[in-house]
Amino acid sequence: MVSTGSIRVGVARTIPEANDHCSRWPVFYPTKACPYPGMCTEAIGYIAQAAGLTIEPVQFEIPSRRDFAYGEYKNGSWSGALGYLAHGLFDVACLFYQRNDERDRDFHFTSSFQRTQFVMFSRLKTEPMPPTLGSPYEVFTKYVWIAALATIIAQSIALFIISRYSEDSDNRSLHWHRRWETFTTIEEAAQLIENGELTFVITLDGTFYRQLFTSQDPSFARLRRAFEKGGRRNVTAHSNEEAVRFLQDPGFIFGTHSESSSFQFFRDVCDIFFIYEGLPTQETHFITRKDWPFNHRIDSAIVRSDAFLNQ
């Protein structure tokens, strides 16, 4: 489509870790040198192309993670990315927003182009296996036990030889452990929170926690009651890495949504599980100023591009 205008897209000056392979940040269209520039930039690039608009990137500073991801309304004005948007530094921020009354009052929400799923992470519990496994298997014949014993002896000898010649063999020990999820439902998680057995890890830019404290969704309302009865047990993490350090202990729980950098980060960490059944989904939007002349064109482009954007 021939371009008939341009839009100024606000992009954080710091390159996200997921896109550190893209040398000329920001990148809005996949290239050979940067095949995966990022979900947000690609989405804006595709929408702008469908709307016949060219992109003028505007990089902005990140005063804090909360301001970077959302911006707050305090003392009669918006801070962070929404503050830049309100003051006309750019026309749209390369950030995904969920709708609430406060933002809806001052900004235009584009047509929804994706639904994001809320999830909760925690660490698997582990414990050593019992030293004897004889009693549950007494139905086996003696020949099966002889074969099993011979296999165990052979494996033990092999593992001993391997550990004997490993550089760090002095620091290793071989144990059998079983691992299990401490909760599998929202109600089970709520009971543990209520009993003081789970502590929330809260991030400064957490959409999940805004919902936890304000949403009337039944799942969030149940978690909120548990949080209050459990003494509002929480710690603050200023980064994904810091949150993971908390989750080395199965007594912590972390909430986020499926399109966040936290979700991408946590799902690749060993011995951490997540649940989503029972938690709601939420529509995702870009935000612009209400008086921006291209609002209708962008909304129409999103509707036309719905199948592509939800791939």
Side-chain angles (χ1 to χ4, degrees):
M1 181 180 290
V2 177
S3 174
T4 56
S6 63
I7 59 173
R8 295 168 301 160
V9 176
V11 183
R13 192 175 297 279
T14 301
I15 301 175
E17 293 177 4
N19 303 317
D20 59 7
H21 58 284
C22 298
S23 59
R24 295 186 177 181
W25 179 258
V27 178
F28 294 93
Y29 307 99
T31 64
K32 186 176 181 180
C34 183
Y36 307 108
M39 182 178 175
C40 184
T41 52
E42 281 192 69
I44 285 186
Y46 189 87
I47 293 167
Q49 195 173 54
L53 299 169
T54 58
I55 292 176
E56 297 177 13
V58 178
Q59 293 187 312
F60 62 92
E61 300 295 339
I62 307 171
S64 71
R65 289 193 63 82
R66 178 188 288 271
D67 283 343
F68 161 52
Y70 295 100
E72 291 183 298
Y73 188 77
K74 278 187 175 181
N75 302 321
S77 63
W78 289 94
S79 63
L82 291 180
Y84 293 138
L85 179 63
H87 288 92
L89 180 66
F90 42 73
D91 302 312
V92 59
C94 189
L95 297 167
F96 296 138
Y97 284 90
Q98 283 75 44
R99 198 168 204 139
N100 62 33
D101 292 341
E102 198 173 54
R103 295 172 186 160
D104 208 18
R105 181 194 63 215
D106 292 342
F107 299 101
H108 169 78
F109 282 77
T110 67
S111 298
S112 171
F113 59 89
Q114 194 173 45
R115 296 193 70 85
T116 183
Q117 172 69 57
F118 288 107
V119 300
M120 293 195 302
F121 285 91
S122 191
R123 190 168 191 83
L124 294 169
K125 270 197 171 181
T126 63
E127 71 175 14
M129 292 288 283
T132 175
L133 297 176
S135 57
Y137 302 101
E138 289 178 352
V139 293
F140 292 155
T141 67
K142 63 179 181 180
Y143 301 106
V144 173
W145 279 110
I146 291 171
L149 181 61
T151 301
I152 292 172
I153 292 172
Q155 290 178 335
S156 299
I157 293 172
L159 289 170
F160 173 78
I161 293 172
I162 292 171
S163 62
R164 178 68 178 81
Y165 291 98
S166 295
E167 291 181 359
D168 57 347
S169 60
D170 291 340
N171 298 321
R172 293 188 179 182
S173 59
L174 300 174
H175 299 283
W176 294 101
H177 290 82
R178 72 183 183 98
R179 293 176 170 82
W180 74 97
E181 299 173 356
T182 50
F183 55 87
T184 58
T185 66
I186 297 300
E187 182 56 35
E188 289 176 1
Q191 286 292 339
L192 292 171
I193 294 167
E194 198 168 292
N195 296 337
E197 297 177 51
L198 279 177
T199 298
F200 269 115
V201 179
I202 294 180
T203 54
L204 295 179
D205 60 348
T207 302
F208 183 94
Y209 298 101
R210 292 172 185 261
Q211 297 299 312
L212 175 64
F213 300 139
T214 62
S215 175
Q216 297 307 307
D217 174 85
S219 296
F220 277 118
R222 175 67 183 101
L223 291 170
R224 183 162 58 251
R225 290 195 302 273
F227 183 63
E228 296 292 343
K229 289 183 179 179
R232 300 179 65 86
R233 294 167 59 90
N234 72 91
V235 295
T236 300
H238 296 85
S239 67
N240 290 332
E241 291 80 3
E242 188 176 358
V244 163
R245 286 196 290 274
F246 283 117
L247 261 67
Q248 297 302 308
D249 183 333
F252 289 89
I253 186 171
F254 178 82
T256 185
H257 60 87
S258 58
E259 301 305 326
S260 68
S261 63
S262 301
F263 179 80
Q264 310 303 323
F265 186 88
F266 271 75
R267 70 175 183 176
D268 294 329
V269 177
C270 293
D271 292 339
I272 288 181
F273 71 95
F274 69 89
I275 67 167
Y276 63 88
E277 291 187 11
L279 286 169
T281 60
Q282 193 169 42
E283 293 184 341
T284 300
H285 310 260
F286 288 117
I287 287 184
T288 66
R289 293 187 307 280
K290 286 182 179 291
D291 60 352
W292 190 44
F294 292 135
N295 280 332
H296 178 71
R297 194 191 294 192
I298 289 292
D299 288 340
S300 298
I302 291 174
V303 173
R304 294 196 306 271
S305 308
D306 181 68
F308 172 83
L309 293 170
N310 282 283
Q311 288 180 357

